[in-house]
Amino acid sequence: MKIAILGKPFDEETVPFLQALLDDLVARQTEVIIVESFHTYLDNRLTLPPGIGTFRRGDSLRGVQFVFSIGGDGTLLDTVTYVGALQIPILGINTGRLGFLATITVEKISQAIDALFKGHFVLEERSLIRVDTDPEVFDGINFGLNEFSILKRDTSSMIVVHTYIDGEYLNSYWADGLIVATPTGSTGYSLSCGGPVMLPQTNNFIIAPVCPHNLNVRPLIVSDRSVISFEIEGRSNNFLLSLDSRSVTVDAGIQIAVRRENFAVRLVKLNHVNFLTTLRSKLNWGLDKRNPVGISL
């Protein structure tokens, strides 16, 4: 088996768990490659087994069976951009905080690897959002797992986002910005703007305004088979486009359209972990003494 690893800096108490992870993989005669920046970080903190290779952004991961994302949800979002259309299954190991996507705690790494090699897991497909702009602004990595946002810059006045669905006029949003979120992104930025939570298998987008000036404007659910396009205006000539954790400043005349990407992300889920369990544990749903005794959170 060949496994690629991406990650971000972690706390000192995480060191023994990650050392055990690498030692376990090598003991199973696994070919391991680590993204170059993370390899350098690990080399100063762990005893790296011999024979571990490295890779950079742009290098093909063809031939890799699984990709381990070590960090938080932000790390997993970045990992998606390395995998792209190859759709290699991603296992999220959570060394961060909330962990809606990276659900494996460091204490469960050993059990997770054992389950992976025994085939005791399922693959959960998550849809992606694709952003087409003229001119191109995301350096060819124009897809994301969570959301696409149009935002005003810094402390400038509100902007107006004229929005169209399949070429038909929807609304002009007078707001600080506008979010188009996937079902996965429904528990992210969109949720903080009053958007609904959607199950991962839902074939929809959420259009959610950020601090709208018209209080009767609410988030809207639309089919992800739609093409959503935008025109932006405001007192400033520059605006911010954000795709997951990547942001760029653009001019007002840019042409923008979003749609569902034609490939998906595959997340490794162990048998005891599912989206509803994650919702209850991360959002504290069910913490009510009126609920029946014995219902597990």
Side-chain angles (χ1 to χ4, degrees):
M1 186 180 291
K2 185 176 182 180
I3 290 176
I5 297 177
L6 296 95
K8 296 289 177 66
F10 46 80
D11 296 332
E12 191 65 29
E13 55 264 27
T14 305
V15 168
F17 296 103
L18 297 189
Q19 184 69 63
L21 164 66
L22 292 174
D23 293 342
D24 192 355
L25 292 178
V26 171
R28 296 173 187 265
Q29 299 183 331
T30 306
E31 181 182 354
V32 178
I33 58 173
I34 303 176
V35 69
E36 194 172 72
S37 58
F38 193 50
H39 184 279
T40 302
Y41 178 81
L42 292 178
D43 200 25
N44 296 322
R45 289 160 180 82
L46 306 181
T47 302
L48 294 181
I52 289 183
T54 61
F55 65 97
R56 298 179 179 180
R57 182 178 293 281
D59 293 346
S60 176
L61 294 181
R62 194 172 300 278
V64 171
Q65 278 78 47
F66 295 97
V67 177
F68 287 5
S69 172
I70 300 176
D73 286 352
T75 308
L76 197 143
L77 294 178
D78 189 40
T79 300
V80 169
T81 67
Y82 281 82
V83 173
L86 292 177
Q87 300 189 114
I88 303 168
I90 300 172
L91 176 70
I93 297 172
N94 184 21
T95 62
R97 295 183 293 274
L98 199 57
F100 269 99
L101 299 172
T103 55
I104 305 300
T105 63
V106 292
E107 294 83 7
K108 299 290 186 180
I109 288 177
S110 178
Q111 296 94 313
I113 294 175
D114 195 50
L116 203 65
F117 276 81
K118 290 180 178 178
H120 297 167
F121 64 89
V122 295
L123 294 180
E124 184 176 83
E125 288 205 347
R126 300 289 185 97
S127 61
L128 295 165
I129 188 168
R130 174 187 176 90
V131 182
D132 294 309
T133 61
D134 186 13
E136 169 64 48
V137 295
F138 288 110
D139 298 325
I141 308 176
N142 58 339
F143 55 88
L145 178 57
N146 265 7
E147 73 272 312
F148 168 70
S149 306
I150 302 170
L151 303 166
K152 70 175 187 176
R153 291 190 61 204
D154 305 322
T155 57
S156 62
S157 59
M158 75 178 73
I159 61 177
V160 186
V161 185
H162 306 292
T163 306
Y164 304 81
I165 298 178
D166 294 329
E168 294 189 19
Y169 176 66
L170 169 64
N171 188 25
S172 293
Y173 292 92
W174 295 71
D176 283 356
L178 191 70
I179 302 165
V180 182
T182 66
T184 299
S186 70
T187 56
Y189 194 7
S190 172
L191 182 64
S192 71
C193 294
V197 174
M198 291 198 297
L199 297 181
Q201 299 80 16
T202 309
N203 297 318
N204 293 305
F205 287 137
I206 301 168
I207 301 176
V210 180
C211 299
H213 186 66
N214 304 100
L215 297 183
N216 61 337
V217 175
R218 290 292 182 263
L220 177 69
I221 297 175
V222 301
S223 168
D224 65 6
R225 299 303 177 187
S226 304
V227 176
I228 309 170
S229 54
F230 311 95
E231 296 173 357
I232 318 169
E233 64 175 285
R235 293 180 183 176
S236 172
N237 291 323
N238 301 111
F239 310 96
L240 197 66
L241 301 186
S242 178
L243 185 55
D244 284 350
S245 57
R246 292 161 283 140
S247 299
V248 293
T249 301
V250 299
D251 295 330
I254 190 170
Q255 300 296 308
I256 309 167
V258 301
R259 69 193 73 207
R260 179 171 176 161
E261 183 56 274
N262 58 16
F263 56 85
V265 172
R266 292 175 178 170
L267 300 181
V268 175
K269 295 296 181 182
L270 303 187
N271 292 336
H272 66 281
V273 177
N274 60 54
F275 182 73
L276 298 182
T277 302
T278 303
L279 274 183
R280 291 194 299 272
S281 64
K282 303 303 180 182
L283 298 183
N284 293 327
W285 287 7
L287 291 180
D288 191 319
K289 65 181 180 181
R290 295 170 297 179
N291 287 337
V293 176
I295 290 184
S296 174
L297 299 183

